[in-house]
Amino acid sequence: MTNPPQRAIGIDIGGTGMKAGIVDLETGALVSDRVRIPTPKGATPPDVLRTATELVDLLGADAADLPVGVCFPAIVKAGVTLSAANVSDKWIGLEADTMFSQALGRDIHFVNDADAAGLAELRFGAAKAQPGLTIMTTLGTGIGSAFLFDGKLVPNSELGHLIWKGDSIEKWAAPTAREREDLSWAKWTSRLQKFYAHVEFLFSPDLIIVGGGVSKNPEKFLPGITTRAPIVVAEHQNNAGIIGAASLALA
């Protein structure tokens, strides 16, 4: 008799939406429906925690007692959130691991959202067995990034906060900038081209991966991006954060 596959819950907290699912840790596959609830306005810690609890409840009986990995748009070190991008500043310096563990009554592992997406692609997707430097970028409310070097994650890179025109480049080049300024896909792509050209000049990656919500529509922008390194869409697209967070649940 074989043991049942090892599973964990992944929760992806974003600036506009919070998503969760149950992941098979051997294959990286989602083995439940993905559930989603809009991120509470202001994204304060108590409101986000309450919504995370609701997401776990939505996963039903199959989620009972499973460990949880949570990915979040912040620098995360030893379970403490050290920054806050597109969420409340009350997250800065918060012992998020401890808070979530106590509230959910189970083991929790917190990680940066783009790092989680990068781990999903490293273990189960486009970066698997890729030598050299892979840069994972997540294009959503902001721009997240993960550095993957020779099969290892270098955590907490923040390429969305490279300074451009006096501010974080994500405020100018993220998908939300396209929506906020009502830009055409072509005009937004030209901004994104500048972002990738700048990143490539600084770091000379061997592979660039594009994830985040906009990765489900690559035909609208990716043909307009030119890089020396190959640039590909994340195999797990916008589920990469859930999968990567779950893969760290037992860390």
Side-chain angles (χ1 to χ4, degrees):
M1 183 175 178
T2 59
N3 293 324
Q6 202 166 34
R7 295 178 174 183
I9 298 166
I11 299 176
D12 184 349
I13 300 171
T16 55
M18 293 175 54
K19 308 178 289 291
I22 299 173
V23 177
D24 182 325
L25 300 182
E26 294 175 0
T27 65
L30 240 62
V31 292
S32 71
D33 290 335
R34 189 183 79 167
V35 294
R36 184 186 187 279
I37 298 176
T39 302
K41 187 175 181 180
T44 63
D47 288 343
V48 167
L49 182 55
R50 184 166 49 251
T51 304
T53 303
E54 292 173 11
L55 285 170
V56 173
D57 289 342
L58 285 174
L59 292 172
D62 288 343
D65 301 322
L66 291 179
V68 179
V70 181
C71 65
F72 187 78
I75 297 167
V76 181
K77 296 199 74 165
V80 178
T81 45
L82 299 180
S83 66
N86 305 303
V87 293
S88 168
D89 286 347
K90 292 180 180 178
W91 285 95
I92 299 173
L94 191 67
E95 293 189 2
D97 254 10
T98 300
M99 183 181 76
F100 270 67
S101 295
Q102 291 174 347
L104 295 179
R106 61 183 86 190
D107 292 334
I108 302 292
H109 190 90
F110 241 73
V111 64
N112 172 268
D113 55 354
D115 283 347
L119 281 171
E121 294 300 306
L122 181 64
R123 294 175 176 176
F124 308 111
K128 189 173 183 179
Q130 170 69 36
L133 175 62
T134 296
I135 295 180
M136 171 86 182
T137 56
T138 55
L139 307 178
T141 306
I143 296 177
S145 61
F147 278 22
L148 311 168
F149 186 74
D150 281 350
K152 303 269 187 193
L153 171 69
V154 181
N156 292 311
S157 64
E158 291 284 343
L159 296 186
H161 296 290
L162 289 169
I163 300 303
W164 187 267
K165 297 181 181 291
D167 210 338
S168 294
I169 198 167
E170 68 177 12
K171 294 183 179 179
W172 182 75
T176 46
R178 183 186 70 81
E179 297 164 2
R180 183 175 62 250
E181 299 179 38
D182 195 26
L183 299 173
S184 67
W185 281 95
K187 286 185 178 179
W188 177 66
T189 299
S190 71
R191 292 188 180 188
L192 205 57
Q193 172 66 57
K194 289 183 173 63
F195 167 72
Y196 282 115
H198 191 44
V199 166
E200 192 161 45
F201 174 76
L202 291 173
F203 300 106
S204 300
D206 299 287
L207 176 67
I208 300 170
I209 303 176
V210 181
V214 78
S215 64
K216 62 181 178 289
N217 300 117
E219 73 284 352
K220 294 185 177 180
F221 68 94
L222 205 56
I225 303 295
T226 301
T227 56
R228 293 191 307 274
I231 183 167
V232 300
V233 175
E235 288 187 19
H236 298 288
Q237 296 185 339
N238 207 24
N239 288 334
I242 293 174
I243 294 166
S247 75
L248 284 172
L250 298 177

